[in-house]
Amino acid sequence: MLAVLRCVIRRDLLLAARRRSDVLTVLLFFVIVVSLFPLGAGPEPALLRTIAPGVIWVAALLASMLALNRLFAQDHADGTLEQMLLSATPLGLIVAAKVLAHWLVSGLPLVLMAPVLALQFDLPLPYFGVLVLSLALGTPVLSLIGAIGAALTLGVRGGGALLALLVLPLYVPVLIIGAGAVEAMASGLGAQAYLLLLAAFLVVAAAFAPWVAAVALRISVE
Amino acid sequence: MLEAVDLRCERGARTLFRGLGFRLRGGELLRVTGANGTGKTSLLRIVCGLLAPAQGEVRWHGGDIRVLREEFWGRLVYIGHANAIKDDLTAAENLAVSCTLGGSSADDAQVRAALRQLGLAGCEDLPVRALSQGQRRRVALARLVPSGAVPLWVLDEPFTALDAAAVDVVQQLISGHVAGGGAVFYTTHLEASIAAAVSLCIDLDRGAG
């Protein structure tokens, strides 16, 4: 069973490495969206510092949604998904492996890029750790919740827009808590409670989302 | 081994077939025929458990496959219309992945031997993007070589896009599997000549078989 999961992760990473443009599109989208705000809002340092966490988080959320379509669509189109459905390994675990691989190529680069982008907003150095940590805990939750949406909208015409409508409302709590972590630190409250909440979201999402997505996949493929 | 009882299949508002039943034992070969749109692929997908029948059930050694789930899927190789291979991976990588997913782990030497048996010598390390339609089909079918121990093979139009030599190899694989006590359930338009002790046929044009 572990061999199957390792194989799925390895395959998805290999595919991403051979088709680098897909990964770069998401990352560049994130960079550009975040960079537009200082240009649009003007060079007022106090204002930029205030909006920084929110802007970075919203951009990360949109970027990770942009990548969601790819999670199952190609496997669905070429028939690999049917083979996964017929595997002796529980589908929920395969979905979890796919989400992990997906996060490594579409979520982790955003987390690593965030501190660089935060420089544009004159965010003080001590906040960088909290920003990165909140994104590192939050973006996997986005991928996990997104997997349910991607599975439900599989094969639906105009699925992209529908996926956004389905998934964005579910992203709201993660966004509030994630962006709130940095703001809480700025106001002197400390970010610990927020980070623990994000970690709790992650644990719950990791435990349940793959199984829900697995059920949705079986319905979509039928 | 495999038994279907009173299957009914509906796609949209149309009933494709009703009251369809069959029994397939080890060492038997079952061919499904019928014109386009009579429900051959749907029947195969029902037998695999990918599609729920509107009525009836499929049993594996007496147990409903929708209850057995993973236990049944571990005893099954399904090769569908789609080849389930990735353009960006090489033939060998594709085959290794599909074998692992199917639960019959094959090492690198076995993978290469299987590809050679299907006449793909020299193409093992080419990205599948560079292969022809027939060669892609061969990559998908090469999975049958290391799957001899899996009792049930379900093949949807295995001979599409294959040339005469490859059709021959696949027919030998199928008859070898049946001779070894396995069961094969397949569809084809081709007048296939597969040697098997017991050869059954379901003709969807004439209703139940």
Side-chain angles (χ1 to χ4, degrees), chain B residues 90-167:
Chain B
T90 67
E93 284 166 344
N94 266 308
L95 184 54
V97 167
S98 61
C99 285
T100 312
L101 261 183
S104 52
S105 57
D107 60 30
D108 196 48
Q110 281 170 302
V111 164
R112 279 161 200 284
L115 288 172
R116 267 199 304 279
Q117 191 171 341
L118 267 288
L120 289 166
C123 302
E124 296 100 327
D125 294 313
L126 284 180
V128 168
R129 201 180 323 108
L131 301 185
S132 74
Q133 206 57 42
Q135 286 174 314
R136 287 165 195 234
R137 194 64 182 157
R138 290 181 193 211
V139 174
L141 288 164
R143 192 181 145 205
L144 295 176
V145 177
S147 301
V150 183
L152 177 63
W153 289 2
V154 177
L155 313 175
D156 195 352
E157 297 286 350
F159 307 120
T160 334
L162 293 184
D163 59 22
V167 168

Side-chain angles (χ1 to χ4, degrees), chain A residues 18-19 75 78 82-83 221, chain B residues 45 78 84 86 88 143:
Chain A
R18 302 242 166 108
R19 227 182 294 134
D75 282 342
D78 65 25
E82 285 181 346
Q83 298 296 335
V221 168
Chain B
R45 289 168 62 85
Y78 170 68
K86 294 280 176 199
D88 291 305
R143 192 181 145 205

Side-chain angles (χ1 to χ4, degrees), chain A residues 1 4 20 89 100 110 116 138-139 155 169 186 190 197 199 205-206 219:
Chain A
M1 191 150 79
V4 174
R20 255 168 256 131
T89 307
L100 175 62
L110 306 185
V116 182
T139 46
L197 254 177
I219 295 167

Side-chain angles (χ1 to χ4, degrees), chain A residues 13-67:
Chain A
L13 293 180
L14 199 61
L15 282 172
R18 302 242 166 108
R19 227 182 294 134
R20 255 168 256 131
S21 61
D22 285 358
V23 178
L24 287 176
T25 315
V26 173
L27 189 60
L28 281 178
F29 175 83
F30 178 59
V31 170
I32 290 170
V33 168
V34 173
S35 307
L36 286 178
F37 278 85
L39 298 175
E44 182 61 50
L47 174 70
L48 287 179
R49 269 200 293 271
T50 322
I51 62 169
V55 166
I56 292 175
W57 256 93
V58 170
L61 190 143
L62 293 176
S64 79
M65 217 190 56
L66 197 66

Side-chain angles (χ1 to χ4, degrees), chain A residues 64-142:
Chain A
S64 79
M65 217 190 56
L66 197 66
L68 276 182
N69 272 329
R70 280 205 315 276
L71 187 50
F72 300 117
Q74 281 156 359
D75 282 342
H76 181 51
D78 65 25
T80 316
L81 193 63
E82 285 181 346
Q83 298 296 335
M84 292 177 174
L85 259 58
L86 295 178
S87 172
T89 307
L91 183 60
L93 295 179
I94 295 180
V95 171
K98 277 190 72 66
V99 173
L100 175 62
H102 182 258
W103 178 77
L104 285 175
V105 294
S106 71
L108 189 60
L110 306 185
V111 177
L112 299 176
M113 191 53 106
V116 182
L117 296 176
L119 288 173
Q120 297 182 68
F121 291 84
D122 192 31
L123 200 70
L125 222 48
Y127 297 169
F128 280 28
V130 174
L131 178 67
V132 169
L133 205 56
S134 71
L135 282 168
L137 289 169
T139 46
V141 181
L142 302 182

Side-chain angles (χ1 to χ4, degrees), chain B residues 49-102:
Chain B
L50 283 172
L51 188 67
Q55 188 192 320
E57 64 176 25
V58 180
R59 299 194 193 120
W60 173 255
H61 288 297
D64 187 346
I65 58 163
R66 295 187 80 80
V67 177
L68 291 173
R69 299 169 66 95
E70 277 84 9
E71 205 181 310
F72 168 62
W73 292 325
R75 310 276 184 281
L76 164 83
V77 171
Y78 170 68
I79 295 183
H81 249 295
N83 286 329
I85 55 178
K86 294 280 176 199
D87 281 355
D88 291 305
L89 299 182
T90 67
E93 284 166 344
N94 266 308
L95 184 54
V97 167
S98 61
C99 285
T100 312
L101 261 183

